[in-house]
């Protein structure tokens, strides 16, 4: 999208990874067409196709990844490829999404331009998290990971109400009684956080949204914190519910009373290619019905 | 509370049931004191004490029930006693609640007045629900029950998003993509529905609130429907999450794709005694911090 | 719309009033066509055409009124015709509205059915208000009127913050610091009150919504009160802003510190004819974009 | 407050300006006491006292300003002193505010520390605006100014609904139908923008909040934009209401159809001294009732 390019030095593209969501019927034939197209240009390519849950282990350092799917496929790919600094060209199979603007009908044009280094490259901040729990305190491995959209702590079962204490830079803290808390990036601000009443952040904003879900205290509002904030969440003892940690709505892990979750800006941002055909406001208008209104 | 008495013919009180939440330390000694007090007045009494989950089966037709606990104890007692038309005097152990206004220090005065038939008797609409599922369609027993505050359908697990279709009087329907839906009474409007952004309804209002939790469509708003509305919720097929039916935040049952939940006004209302010491607005001010604001 | 008919005894139609918003170009020719149509059926008719502000003084007791315009024309007509118990058939020139569902292309069919007494007749509660101010206290005439959608008190000028005390049934009161307060009917719940975060009420609901505009106290929520509530608003002394009373967004009157505004259910409801072609939920879906959402 | 100091080089303090809100009775005697205190330390001082509207023209380049009043006095002083880079020590007469944390009882300690250069100095982004209208286009002077909290465009009169088009960096635009729009800084996020449903931004955040007031389109949400954003608001032709531009809730100017308002980050930030006695979260808890909740 126009307005938030941050770097454009894409480098020479010699090897491409295609990440294809095989649950979409067009994904397989399209990945084949793209491979042929790339081969003709003398560019090597590999396809990673998946259905449902997938474990993409990226061994080679590709110069570019192309995702075939929706926003969810980009979320999945970004968590793995961003740390390797691999730029992503998202091609959308279906309606265009908040992130995926290149349509499956225009991909040739856009890919051609990418190979020439002409397309815009935006940088989207990601979150990193790590969990200190009983196991990790006894020397076990610490759970850690990245999120493109959001990291969510929520309760389930009969009482969903959870008690959480969020520490900010170890100098302040705030208590929440809520169904859960969403920690969201700007990219994630149009996803679950929006449904929970959160503000929309421009993709260029480097910030962390702290958005309680159905907070018990009616005066609570979503908080927007600097991207440098170091957050620590204490899962209070004696919860009457089971807690879950959810990443980008795609991965989930159980949490326990006494666990501590650390959340901060990830060291590397996702590098997303876009054609510039749709602006930020246009996406909001189209996806969130921001035109018109009752009349 | 003043303003919403609806009937005051309490009748002669000869037998009293005391429902005591034994998780509160004062509950046991207080129920003992009340029994002595009643005995002196020639009134018989029985105590039902419980800790955590409880199955109160009410065999005798008491003239009055006294609850010792918080709002939760009144919710529990109302679901069982309302169908038997037994009025409830809620005595609060702790801070006063939205429903429980009689304090544990004033109970003698208020109980004295109740025995003389002087205290106000308010009527609070309840919801009834019944579930048609595979088992009931094959001739099994149908799950059914009542709610004083709310009936909630919600998802859990990695994706909490549920797809529900709500039919209104079998002539209209509306689709929801959300974390869940709250069906709330006026009494429940200050509870979970408020946390989910719902309006506050005066306890006298006979109405059903239909409030989606974190709806995907940002233009959604809570709906307030006439109390006579007959609602049917279809749990859409192919949910990617487990669904739960929760009643008053106290009881829960699993739901499955294809289940149908029917919700309507319960045939009998809860009859709650109150001293009139606190008005509706005073409760809102005290419990929801409606005074002051930032200055 | 289906579901909320309340009476259908329309009586014999011998004389019709056509209320036409001449700002819409089709209004004049259409009112002419309707007159001819009615004449052929032996029904007398008169046209009241207006542009912008209008003073319709209704001297004859018509058996039916037909409005040509949008929802605004129905609001205008209802305030004058509801007290005379004259039913209204709203024909919509433009997109269909929340109230006006009969399209300008289908009017013949619908009018034919109305003359036969076949169309549904819904009843929509209205508000009445009267203002006690310096002038009225000194014996002057009291300002009073009716509203179909809403009665709004709001501040203007540099500081819009107003201090208001709302008394409920003279037994309770609540203070507001806000940009203003909306008192809305169920019909008005989809209008200004919705923009101010209010719930949507089914048109059949008899209720008064009390919805503060941008309240200073962040825990405030819209209140839904029984239709029998008698509300008195005290305009506090020493306001730092000018106050305005606005009725249905169409009429406005200045308010002063010390004024008292009384609001209650109007004695007569508006009687609106509808074809039943669109349900309540369908209107919400179409007008408020309640389908779809981001995907 | 801890956590958002940005510079601490206060320099030598030889001349102090005291800005005193004389509407607060303690302001006059306190400014006298401070002058004596400063004189004893060999520091020159001058008092600018005001009641209601004031025109502070700052001719000398003071090394420090002390405000005596509430948050409003700091807003007033910042607009004038920030461009001159004069740091402000806000002393609060009354309850502590969002910005003013130094109490009138502790001032000696804090001022002593300021003179020693020991107190923290926070930097708070401000907005600048300038208005292109008929007069300025014909060569007249352009209205321009700064805001510490917010710049608000709003309608008044019978219909408050305004039509505005906001351009972002001249490459995108979005249309609003609303009662108005708030452009707020992080500092202003706890003021009017919060009342209009906006998020709370950490004072360290450099960002511009674009928050529509009662937007007609129910899916609208507040937007948070990068501080570098260049915003241009077009006041659409044919408004049915009078429009007002309000700055920090303290200054107001009329707007007309066809006017263009430019809003961007001000070149100089306000430099606010604080003792560090209260953290950001503590202020939210205390001022917005973020503890407790209903129970």
């Amino acid at each position: 999208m126009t307005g938030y390019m941050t770097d454009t030095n894409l480098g020479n593209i010699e090897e491409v990874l295609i990440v294809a969501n095989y649950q979409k019927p067009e994904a397989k034939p399209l990945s084949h067409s793209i491979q042929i197209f790339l081969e003709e240009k003398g560019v090597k390519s590999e396809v990673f196709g998946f259905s449902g849950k997938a474990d993409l282990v990226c061994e080679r350092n590709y110069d570019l990844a192309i995702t075939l799917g929706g926003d969810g496929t980009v979320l999945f790919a970004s968590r793995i490829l961003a740390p390797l600094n691999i730029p992503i060209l998202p091609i959308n199979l279906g309606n265009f999404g908040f992130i995926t603007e290149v349509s499956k009908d225009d991909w040739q044009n856009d890919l051609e331009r990418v190979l020439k280094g002409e397309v815009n490259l935006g940088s989207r901040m990601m979150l990193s998290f790590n969990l200190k729990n009983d196991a990790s305190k006894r020397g076990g491995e610490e759970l850690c990971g990245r999120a493109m959209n959001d990291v969510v702590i929520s309760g389930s079962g009969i009482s969903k109400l959870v008690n959480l204490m969020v520490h900010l830079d170890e100098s302040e803290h705030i208590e929440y009684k809520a169904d859960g808390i969403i920690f969201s990036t700007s990219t994630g601000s149009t996803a679950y956080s929006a449904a929970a009443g959160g503000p929309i952040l421009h993709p260029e904003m480097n910030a962390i949204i702290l958005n309680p879900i159905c907070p018990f205290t009616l005066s609570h509002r979503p908080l927007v914190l600097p991207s440098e904030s170091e957050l620590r969440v204490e899962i209070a003892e004696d919860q009457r519910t089971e807690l879950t940690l959810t990443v980008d709505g795609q991965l989930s892990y159980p949490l326990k009373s006494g666990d501590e979750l650390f959340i901060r800006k990830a060291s590397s941002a996702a590098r997303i290619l876009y054609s510039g055909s749709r602006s930020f406001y246009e996406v909001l208008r189209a996806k969130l019905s921001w035109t018109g209104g009752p009349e």
Side-chain angles (χ1 to χ4, degrees), chain A:
Chain A
M1 297 169 220
T2 35
Y4 44 97
M5 82 191 64
T6 52
D7 71 272
T8 46
N9 39 346
L10 200 60
N12 223 28
I13 293 170
E14 294 174 355
E15 223 170 333
V16 170
L17 175 69
I18 299 169
V19 179
N21 180 356
Y22 281 174
Q23 286 177 321
K24 313 256 176 178
E26 313 96 314
K28 226 168 208 169
L30 185 54
S31 57
H32 194 62
S33 308
I34 293 174
Q35 285 204 291
I36 292 167
F37 177 91
L38 288 170
E39 205 174 357
E40 285 168 3
K41 309 274 176 187
V43 178
K44 287 185 210 162
S45 69
E46 264 178 275
V47 175
F48 176 82
F50 68 100
S51 287
K53 276 204 163 183
D55 275 309
L56 167 59
V57 184
C58 196
E59 287 161 2
R60 308 256 282 275
N61 214 339
Y62 300 93
D63 305 306
L64 174 71
I66 298 171
T67 61
L68 306 180
D71 281 355
T73 306
V74 188
L75 299 180
F76 162 66
S78 296
R79 290 198 304 272
I80 292 144
L81 304 176
L84 302 169
N85 215 24
I86 301 172
I88 296 171
L89 176 71
I91 296 177
N92 193 29
L93 310 179
N95 299 320
F96 78 97
F98 284 103
I99 312 173
T100 55
E101 54 150 15
V102 175
S103 99
K104 62 178 189 292
D105 306 317
D106 295 340
W107 67 268
Q108 286 201 336
N109 259 338
D110 284 311
L111 185 49
E112 192 108 42
R113 288 172 57 206
V114 168
L115 296 179
K116 290 183 194 159
E118 274 174 15
V119 170
N120 303 312
L121 186 48
S123 155
R124 288 182 176 234
M125 189 194 118
M126 296 180 71
L127 291 175
S128 84
F129 65 89
N130 57 307
L131 180 68
K132 287 218 168 114
N133 57 17
D134 263 6
S136 72
K137 283 170 193 168
R138 284 195 311 261
E141 215 176 321
E142 219 171 65
L143 175 73
C144 61
R146 275 174 197 79
M148 175 87 170
N149 265 355
D150 44 39
V151 171
V152 177
I153 299 172
S154 59
S156 58
I158 181 159
S159 163
K160 298 194 292 180
L161 202 66
V162 297
N163 295 296
L164 300 170
M165 189 177 287
V166 181
H167 296 262
L168 174 60
D169 298 332
E170 293 306 330
S171 60
E172 329 193 18
H173 68 271
I174 194 160
E175 278 176 275
Y176 287 98
K177 271 191 188 188
D179 276 8
I181 299 187
I182 302 164
F183 299 89
S184 169
T185 62
S186 298
T187 302
S189 72
T190 51
Y192 189 25
S193 179
I200 307 296
L201 268 63
H202 194 280
E204 237 182 35
M205 286 292 301
N206 283 326
I208 302 174
I209 305 172
L210 192 172
N211 193 3
I213 307 165
C214 299
F216 209 56
T217 302
L218 299 189
S219 57
H220 266 300
R221 289 287 179 276
L223 280 173
V224 183
L225 302 171
S227 59
E228 296 75 29
S229 305
E230 308 244 322
L231 297 165
R232 177 166 61 89
V233 190
E234 270 180 63
I235 315 297
E237 303 284 345
D238 298 322
Q239 304 280 353
R240 283 161 50 190
T241 183
E242 286 165 40
L243 285 101
T244 304
L245 170 66
T246 309
V247 178
D248 287 345
Q250 297 183 332
L251 304 173
S252 76
Y253 312 94
L255 292 174
K256 283 191 192 145
S257 295
D259 285 2
E260 285 177 302
L261 185 72
F262 294 79
I263 294 169
R264 63 175 65 78
K265 181 182 171 177
S267 52
S268 45
R271 301 168 76 211
I272 309 287
L273 288 152
Y274 54 94
S275 64
S277 61
R278 270 196 192 83
S279 75
F280 171 55
Y281 279 178
E282 277 173 319
V283 171
L284 296 181
R285 272 198 296 274
K287 303 287 294 179
L288 304 181
S289 310
W290 275 23
T291 25
E295 178 110 71

